[in-house]
Amino acid sequence: MSVFVALHEKRLPFEMSTVDLGSRANHDASYAATSLTQRIPMLTHGDFALSESSAITEYLDEAFAPASLYPQDTRMRARARQIQAWLRSDLMPIRLERSTEVVFYGARGAQLTPVAEAAARKLFSAAEALLAGDDQNLFGSWCIADTDLALMLNRLILNDDPVPARLKDYAAYQWERPSVKRWIELERPTIVE
């Protein structure tokens, strides 16, 4: 999602192709030869291929003007990258119990386990500390980390889990961004169980 949003924010033309993770197509020799890590998403730009969302958005930000995906201030840019890395490497109980199927397919999960509730409290604490006052964005103006944080919050919000009102408002505001709405409105394949 964040790569799609970044490409739209940068107003870059691109073609999107899907990879069937259910059939492990990301491990096929042809994909693995280009992807290196056999993960999605993967960006191909000329003869250069790059996987991992954060790496891709950082590359796009440095390689293409004019819109910035990250704050200009060095410390705030580092903080945005920290948030992205944290959201992708921690909070696994939330990710396991509230997959993105909750967000994009309306699936519902059972009540959160105590370990997932603890992860949610950790998420709320960090998000509330980062969002000073009535800011609608993490660093005064939008950055790609806002999209990533809103996605993590929406895993809970869209499952009707208890989330502080301030964070619900923040996630709803981020969900209205045109580039994010384009992603949300994409036609998705039917889930076969």
Side-chain angles (χ1 to χ4, degrees):
M1 176 178 171
S2 60
V3 172
F4 179 93
V5 168
L7 288 162
H8 278 283
E9 291 290 333
K10 288 286 194 178
R11 294 182 171 85
L12 296 170
F14 65 96
E15 294 177 22
M16 189 168 69
S17 20
T18 58
V19 175
D20 184 357
L21 298 178
S23 69
R24 300 181 46 85
N26 55 312
H27 298 287
D28 289 349
S30 61
Y31 188 85
T34 306
S35 168
L36 183 65
T37 61
Q38 300 178 23
R39 293 180 42 104
I40 61 156
M42 177 180 64
L43 173 79
T44 305
H45 180 221
D47 63 352
F48 180 64
L50 186 64
S51 296
E52 305 298 333
S53 297
S54 294
I56 294 168
T57 58
E58 288 176 31
Y59 171 74
L60 292 171
D61 203 40
E62 292 174 12
F64 299 97
S68 275
L69 301 173
Y70 291 91
Q72 294 303 302
D73 177 80
T74 303
R75 289 180 176 189
M76 293 299 99
R77 188 170 51 252
R79 179 73 69 211
R81 289 173 172 163
Q82 174 191 10
I83 292 164
Q84 287 185 297
W86 174 62
L87 291 170
R88 287 177 173 82
S89 65
D90 197 358
L91 308 171
M92 287 303 156
I94 296 172
R95 296 167 65 94
L96 290 171
E97 295 183 33
R98 298 295 181 263
S99 78
T100 55
E101 289 180 12
V102 169
V103 177
F104 301 115
Y105 287 95
R108 292 286 184 256
Q111 183 175 340
L112 290 172
T113 62
V115 71
E117 287 178 351
R121 285 191 301 275
K122 182 178 179 181
L123 171 64
F124 302 155
S125 176
E128 289 173 329
L130 289 162
L131 290 164
D134 291 332
D135 287 348
Q136 295 178 311
N137 298 298
L138 289 168
F139 305 106
S141 59
W142 177 87
C143 79
I144 196 69
D146 284 300
T147 300
D148 292 334
L149 179 56
L151 176 60
M152 184 60 78
L153 290 167
N154 274 325
R155 289 170 181 260
L156 299 164
I157 294 166
L158 297 174
N159 193 70
D160 294 326
D161 293 310
V163 175
R166 167 74 178 101
L167 299 181
K168 284 183 178 180
D169 292 344
Y170 164 80
Y173 178 80
Q174 296 303 321
W175 236 230
E176 291 300 315
R177 190 162 186 89
S179 57
V180 173
K181 286 181 88 166
R182 282 187 192 103
W183 176 261
I184 294 166
E185 293 167 356
L186 283 175
E187 188 173 324
R188 291 182 166 71
T190 303
I191 297 176
V192 179
E193 299 199 29

